[in-house]
Amino acid sequence: MKFSIKTLLVFVLIINLNISAQSGLFEFLPDSLQFVPLKANHQEARVGILYYPETGYLKVDIGNNIDLLKFNLSDETSVNVGIEFMAYALSTNYQGKRLQIDALDGFFGGHASAKFGSGNSYYLSRLRIIHNSAHFVDGHYDFRDDKWRDNIEPIPFTQDFGELTVAGVNSLGSVKIRCFASIAYSTLVRPHIIKKYSGNFGVEVHSDSIIGSAFNHPVNLFFANYNRYAGMPKYNLSTSNQAGVKFGEWNGKGIVLYLSYYYGNDILSEYYFKRDSKFGIGFTADFN
């Protein structure tokens, strides 16, 4: 009986969603992301490579996110629900061996986003529920001396967190600006000395009229800033800056070439206790 009732409820839900889809109130697999990932935040899904000239190391990103459902509550208000899976790894050159994977961070979870307003001026919000775990890989192990490199052994790093971000989008002529701020809380952290609360803020500025177009697609010149205030274990500010060009619509698919500068706690969570500064040259492919 319980199974029959659940089956009936699912059947009724599917019928209601189908009716809503026909009326335009509901969309299954909307065309694009409502909340485009923050460019300078390393904890966002992307596909690409960031090269560090000083060391020859690489940060390799593999991941994507997708909006599965869209609810059009009014002409100027919509809510999207989606999922995201991603990982990034540090590739090193060690003992003459290239492209050794030293450490990696993995993320998976989901999000809900809302948009209020239309045209060139509107507000966005996004709630993410994410599981993050970190690991050392065989590239961090010194097989000649039979020990972990730099005597840094693996730790069971985990963060299960919820993150609420609010953003405002506006235009100054041909220049578009997105300002944002977030607050996050981790329900589970390992090691336990990591603080559970953190906050983020920053700005993104881009324009497709400075350079013009290429291959019948706009070329966006951009600058992105992202700052995180977190206790790892002491509260400190970490900042990330990117400047570059995107070939393609800003909120659509495209190719991104950029320069990056990061200062703060190491983005690889197994090295969370280290403060570091890095300059990089990057490439990503957007699938928004």
Side-chain angles (χ1 to χ4, degrees):
M1 179 61 69
K2 291 183 179 180
F3 176 77
S4 298
I5 293 175
K6 290 181 179 179
T7 303
L8 178 61
L9 291 175
V10 172
F11 183 69
V12 171
L13 177 61
I14 292 175
I15 292 176
N16 286 333
L17 290 177
N18 188 49
I19 294 173
S20 298
Q22 293 177 3
S23 64
L25 299 177
F26 166 74
E27 295 179 40
F28 178 61
L29 299 178
D31 292 336
S32 59
L33 284 171
Q34 182 159 255
F35 194 107
V36 176
L38 302 172
K39 273 285 184 288
N41 178 10
H42 60 272
Q43 293 186 339
E44 297 273 7
R46 57 174 56 89
V47 175
I49 293 175
L50 180 59
Y51 171 67
Y52 300 114
E54 184 176 354
T55 59
Y57 294 174
L58 298 174
K59 174 179 177 278
V60 182
D61 284 273
I62 301 175
N64 205 357
N65 53 9
I66 182 175
D67 282 352
L68 301 175
L69 309 173
K70 182 174 184 177
F71 302 90
N72 297 303
L73 305 183
S74 70
D75 292 339
E76 295 189 347
T77 305
S78 57
V79 175
N80 287 23
V81 179
I83 56 174
E84 45 196 277
F85 291 81
M86 53 193 165
Y88 57 81
L90 177 66
S91 173
T92 63
N93 307 322
Y94 185 62
Q95 293 181 342
K97 299 177 181 178
R98 298 186 63 83
L99 300 179
Q100 300 295 297
I101 302 302
D102 181 278
L104 66 85
D105 275 61
F107 303 79
F108 67 85
H111 62 260
S113 65
K115 181 180 179 181
F116 309 94
S118 59
N120 294 325
S121 180
Y122 53 90
Y123 294 95
L124 294 166
S125 66
R126 181 184 66 176
L127 174 65
R128 295 203 297 171
I129 306 296
I130 300 291
H131 167 77
N132 167 215
S133 61
H135 312 272
F136 279 139
V137 193
D138 58 350
H140 186 72
Y141 195 78
D142 189 334
F143 289 93
R144 294 179 182 177
D145 295 331
D146 193 26
K147 66 178 183 179
W148 293 102
R149 287 179 54 189
D150 303 320
N151 293 317
I152 302 177
E153 297 185 356
I155 57 172
F157 185 96
T158 303
Q159 275 191 308
D160 293 339
F161 65 90
E163 178 190 74
L164 177 63
T165 303
V166 293
V169 179
N170 212 330
S171 298
L172 294 176
S174 63
V175 178
K176 296 179 176 59
I177 303 171
R178 177 168 69 164
C179 300
F180 61 87
S182 311
I183 186 170
Y185 176 77
S186 299
T187 57
L188 171 66
V189 293
R190 292 188 301 177
H192 298 297
I193 58 174
I194 295 175
K195 304 298 189 294
K196 292 190 173 184
Y197 283 97
S198 63
N200 316 312
F201 63 93
V203 64
E204 297 173 348
V205 181
H206 68 94
S207 175
D208 60 7
S209 65
I210 298 174
I211 297 179
S213 62
F215 306 105
N216 297 319
H217 289 281
V219 179
N220 283 274
L221 186 66
F222 75 90
F223 170 77
N225 166 261
Y226 178 85
N227 306 279
R228 185 185 186 205
Y229 187 66
M232 305 292 283
K234 294 182 179 180
Y235 276 103
N236 283 300
L237 186 68
S238 299
T239 184
S240 174
N241 295 282
Q242 292 185 7
V245 293
K246 177 176 179 178
F247 297 88
E249 297 287 347
W250 182 252
N251 291 337
K253 65 180 180 181
I255 295 174
V256 182
L257 304 175
Y258 66 95
L259 302 178
S260 169
Y261 177 73
Y262 177 85
Y263 176 77
N265 287 82
D266 201 299
I267 62 175
L268 276 300
S269 296
E270 285 285 346
Y271 295 111
Y272 74 92
F273 49 86
K274 294 175 61 178
R275 298 284 288 179
D276 198 7
S277 63
K278 296 179 179 180
F279 168 77
I281 304 170
F283 160 85
T284 61
D286 289 350
F287 297 95
N288 304 337

